[in-house]
Amino acid sequence: MIEFLDVTCGQTRCSFMLTGTGVPVELKFEPDFLVCRLQTSPDEGAEATVEIINRCSADISLVFEKILDLQGDILMEQYKDKPQFDDQLSEGEISSLNNSFRKRRGTSYFKIIDEKMDIPAMKARTAKFYFGDFQRLEMKNATEADQSKKGKKDKKEDKKGKAKKKGRGSKESNDIMDRKYYVAKYNLLLSGSTFVKDFIVIGNFL
């Protein structure tokens, strides 16, 4: 590409010719999908991994921007037997999103590690989508870390107490999360501005 630039100062005028060579961006995604469906228990978490391969001869910078975070209801018959990765939403999912979902308030159940990533030319990087109750998981991990510091006798007592507590907690979590689905949409941007691709992640607690 060639461009001409004129700079004028008083009666002096200078002309410059600017030349540059652009590099077309070519990316490959493994797996290549639009929709990802994740399921997990409230005490666990789920993740999906996508490898992004930079096939061009220049380094690139990518940013994942979350533009939607929703919660709502999807009928089980509209959701069951769907693959984890898909290139489109089902008709039932589209209908539910249009009629039964609202913006989620509070802490999100979705997370991406390395929302910003630099990929050298002809190299690949891995992005991970996470779904789960992260506050609950942090409390669980902290409890397990405390238990590991105690003796075997204390461990047995803690496990019994934890099992009883977990039974009550499971019922409480089911009351809160039963039949609820959560949806996040991400835009993948080149250099933080140019749209490349979008990802829709649907999660629910078993």
Side-chain angles (χ1 to χ4, degrees):
M1 183 176 65
I2 300 176
E3 290 189 1
F4 295 93
L5 177 66
D6 291 335
V7 178
T8 302
C9 181
Q11 296 182 350
T12 303
R13 181 179 180 181
C14 298
S15 297
F16 299 91
M17 183 177 69
L18 306 177
T19 62
T21 302
V23 177
V25 176
E26 183 180 358
L27 299 175
K28 182 179 180 181
F29 301 88
E30 294 183 353
D32 191 357
F33 62 91
L34 169 65
V35 181
C36 173
R37 303 177 180 92
L38 297 175
Q39 293 182 318
T40 183
S41 71
D43 291 319
E44 302 294 338
E47 68 178 54
T49 300
V50 56
E51 186 178 39
I52 305 175
I53 305 168
N54 178 13
R55 288 185 162 183
C56 66
S57 58
D59 299 348
I60 61 171
S61 296
L62 298 175
V63 177
F64 287 92
E65 179 185 38
K66 183 162 64 176
I67 61 172
L68 287 177
D69 198 338
L70 309 173
Q71 71 177 48
D73 303 299
I74 300 177
L75 296 177
M76 287 300 296
E77 56 266 25
Q78 296 176 340
Y79 190 80
K80 66 180 181 180
D81 301 326
K82 296 292 189 298
Q84 180 181 10
F85 299 106
D86 211 336
D87 58 2
Q88 62 182 356
L89 292 165
S90 68
E91 293 183 2
E93 289 169 338
I94 294 174
S95 176
S96 296
L97 285 169
N98 288 334
N99 300 295
S100 304
F101 275 73
R102 64 185 185 275
K103 184 177 179 180
R104 174 166 173 74
R105 296 181 179 180
T107 304
S108 176
Y109 290 146
F110 297 96
K111 185 184 295 184
I112 291 184
I113 304 300
D114 295 331
E115 294 182 346
K116 299 180 180 180
M117 61 172 61
D118 297 324
I119 308 180
M122 309 307 294
K123 298 292 183 179
R125 291 289 184 270
T126 299
K128 288 186 178 181
F129 297 91
Y130 288 92
F131 171 73
D133 188 338
F134 301 109
Q135 292 181 341
R136 189 185 185 99
L137 292 176
E138 288 177 1
M139 293 177 61
K140 177 186 175 185
N141 292 337
T143 300
E144 292 177 349
D146 290 341
Q147 289 176 351
S148 67
K149 298 178 182 178
K150 298 179 180 180
K152 293 182 179 180
K153 183 177 179 180
D154 290 338
K155 277 188 175 182
K156 291 180 180 180
E157 293 177 356
D158 289 340
K159 285 181 179 179
K160 291 180 181 179
K162 184 180 178 182
K164 294 179 181 179
K165 184 177 180 181
K166 183 177 180 181
R168 293 193 299 270
S170 297
K171 183 179 185 305
E172 180 182 356
S173 63
N174 287 337
D175 291 341
I176 296 174
M177 300 173 181
D178 187 33
R179 302 299 182 185
K180 291 295 180 184
Y181 289 79
Y182 305 87
V183 176
K185 183 177 181 181
Y186 294 88
N187 282 347
L188 181 62
L189 306 176
L190 177 65
S191 300
S193 59
T194 304
F195 176 81
V196 176
K197 180 180 174 62
D198 53 358
F199 297 92
I200 299 173
V201 186
I202 303 176
N204 74 296
F205 293 98
L206 299 174

